[in-house]
């Protein structure tokens, strides 16, 4: 019944709603990306014609680390992800599987 698209830039936040006053379908597969996005895009292009290009500012307490997508450990050829400073993974970070093996070994030693 309703199609929404919400988006923002560093200067402008905008949402678009497409729908009818009554509960009546907009048509098969009419989603926000199909019905509302073209309106949002047209509006944002118009609004930004007079605005300077501006990137989002990275907060000072955010640190980017390149990590392996499977292990989450730092890697030179992984994916770059943001972390709150002090929470970024280190080279000695263990995977979930490594932690499970370590816990099993600990339990074995107890018996």
């Amino acid at each position: 019944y309703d199609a929404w698209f919400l988006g923002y830039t560093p200067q402008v936040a905008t949402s678009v709603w497409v729908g009818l006053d009554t509960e009546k379908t907009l048509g098969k597969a009419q989603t926000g990306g199909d019905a509302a996005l073209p309106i949002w895009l047209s509006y944002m292009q118009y609004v930004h014609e007079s605005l300077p290009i501006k990137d989002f500012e990275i907060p000072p307490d955010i640190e980017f680390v390149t990590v392996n997508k499977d292990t989450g450990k730092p890697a030179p050829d992984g994916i770059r992800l943001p972390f709150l400073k002090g929470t970024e993974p280190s080279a000695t970070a263990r995977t979930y599987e490594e932690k499970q093996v370590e816990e099993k070994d600990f339990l074995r030693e107890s018996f």
Side-chain angles (χ1 to χ4, degrees):
Y1 301 123
D2 299 302
W4 288 88
F5 189 87
L6 293 84
Y8 56 93
T9 67
Q11 297 103 325
V12 180
T14 304
S15 65
V16 173
W17 170 78
V18 176
L20 304 169
D21 291 336
T22 60
E23 285 193 16
K24 187 175 179 185
T25 183
L26 296 174
K28 187 174 182 178
Q30 286 297 304
T31 64
D34 292 324
L37 174 60
I39 298 167
W40 181 88
L41 185 56
S42 177
Y43 172 76
M44 293 297 269
Q45 287 173 335
Y46 174 76
V47 168
H48 283 80
E49 283 178 3
S50 61
L51 296 175
I53 295 173
K54 187 174 179 183
D55 289 330
F56 286 98
E57 293 181 24
I58 299 171
D61 57 347
I62 296 297
E63 182 80 26
F64 281 86
V65 178
T66 303
V67 299
N68 178 287
K69 68 179 182 73
D70 296 320
T71 67
K73 293 182 180 181
D77 58 348
I79 56 174
R80 192 168 179 247
L81 297 176
F83 293 90
L84 186 61
K85 282 187 181 175
T87 67
E88 61 272 8
S90 67
T92 58
R94 295 172 295 159
T95 66
Y96 176 79
E97 291 79 13
E98 290 170 333
K99 289 178 185 176
Q100 294 302 308
V101 168
E102 187 176 290
E103 287 176 12
K104 286 180 185 176
D105 290 343
F106 174 78
L107 291 174
R108 283 188 184 139
E109 290 175 10
S110 298
F111 294 110

